[in-house]
Structures are given as structure tokens and as C-alpha cells.
Amino acid sequence: MPLATLTLATALFAATTADAREIETIRAALPALAAPVEIDLDAVEIPTIRAKTLEDAVCAQGWIHARERFLQIDLARREPAGEVGQIVPQGVALDRESVRLGLRAIAEQAVARLPEKHRALLEAYAAGVNARLAVAKPYEYQLLQAPCAPWPPADSMLVQLSM
């Protein structure tokens, strides 16, 4: 039995554990979903996402990733792009090696060449990540006093290229 059920909808995202202010913030952050999306969190807060469209499910996944794992996904995109030094000065040495590969440009070119239905999924994921970032800067970035860059669709491709 889930501890909390979150419902995303066109201008509706309600959580049984959220206060009214948080619900209003989330409603404003994700107004463009095609249909309701449910996110059930189990006893250890592992999400299960149910949506009528794949794009809405991917948007919700982006929201959850940004809420729970933004530092991880941010480092996964920054390392192959040679951008770790932008948030952690010790990363500059690593960046010198990574930036030579030019993976950011390759990722951007690859996304531009994708069929529209595939590009739409990357855009939906990015919309979910960025909507969550607009609500609150992740705690780690507050501690580091580091910038929290938006997630463009090409960053998902960049992570894949690094693998």
C-alpha cells in the first residue's frame, strides 16, 4: 500500500503528504500534461508511474528524477561534457580530458536528427526535470552554492553517449 499518492493532471498535482502551498506550486509547475498521471510511492518511496500517454509518464519521471536524484543526473551529464568544474572546482582536471571528446555537440546534433516522436520524449523528460528545478533548487546545490543549470533535451542524449 503506497504511503503517498501523487496525481499530476492538467493544472492538478495533489499529494496526500503535501501541504496546500506545495500542491499549488506543483499545479503551476506542470500545467501542460495531456491527462492525469499517478505516481504511487511505496513504503521506501520507490515510485510507480501510471499515465495515459508515454510523454506524460516520461515528464513525471523527469520530475521524480529531479526531485530525488538531481545531483546524480547532473553529474552524469556534466562529466562527459567537461562541465564538472562549473559546480565543483576540483572537477576542472577531469573536464580537460572530457571536453576534448566534444560529446555535447554530438548529443545536440543527434537530438536534432531524431524523429519527432523520439525528440518529444526527450522534451517531455526535460520539461519534468525543469519544472521540478523551478519549484526548488536541490539541497546539494544550496550547500555547494553552485548553479543549477536547466536540463535541455540533449542532456539525456549526452548521458547515453557517455555510457
Side-chain angles (χ1 to χ4, degrees), residues 78-79 81-86 88 91-100:
R78 287 180 185 273
E79 189 274 324
E83 299 169 354
V84 175
Q86 293 176 358
V88 180
V92 172
L94 175 65
D95 289 349
R96 287 189 185 110
E97 296 297 318
S98 297
V99 78
R100 291 182 193 154

Side-chain angles (χ1 to χ4, degrees), residues 14-103:
T16 59
T17 59
D19 65 22
R21 207 174 40 230
E22 181 182 0
I23 292 168
E24 288 304 315
T25 302
I26 296 168
R27 284 179 183 162
L30 288 170
L33 294 173
V37 174
E38 292 181 9
I39 303 171
D40 294 328
L41 303 175
D42 70 11
V44 291
E45 295 197 17
I46 296 173
T48 299
I49 299 170
R50 289 179 201 82
K52 295 202 186 302
T53 69
L54 183 57
E55 289 82 2
D56 285 351
V58 170
C59 182
Q61 182 180 21
W63 176 279
I64 292 293
H65 283 172
R67 184 179 133 215
E68 301 296 330
R69 309 189 79 92
F70 187 71
L71 179 62
Q72 179 183 4
I73 66 172
D74 192 32
L75 290 174
R77 72 169 165 175
R78 287 180 185 273
E79 189 274 324
E83 299 169 354
V84 175
Q86 293 176 358
I87 60 169
V88 180
Q90 298 84 348
V92 172
L94 175 65
D95 289 349
R96 287 189 185 110
E97 296 297 318
S98 297
V99 78
R100 291 182 193 154
L101 297 174
L103 291 179

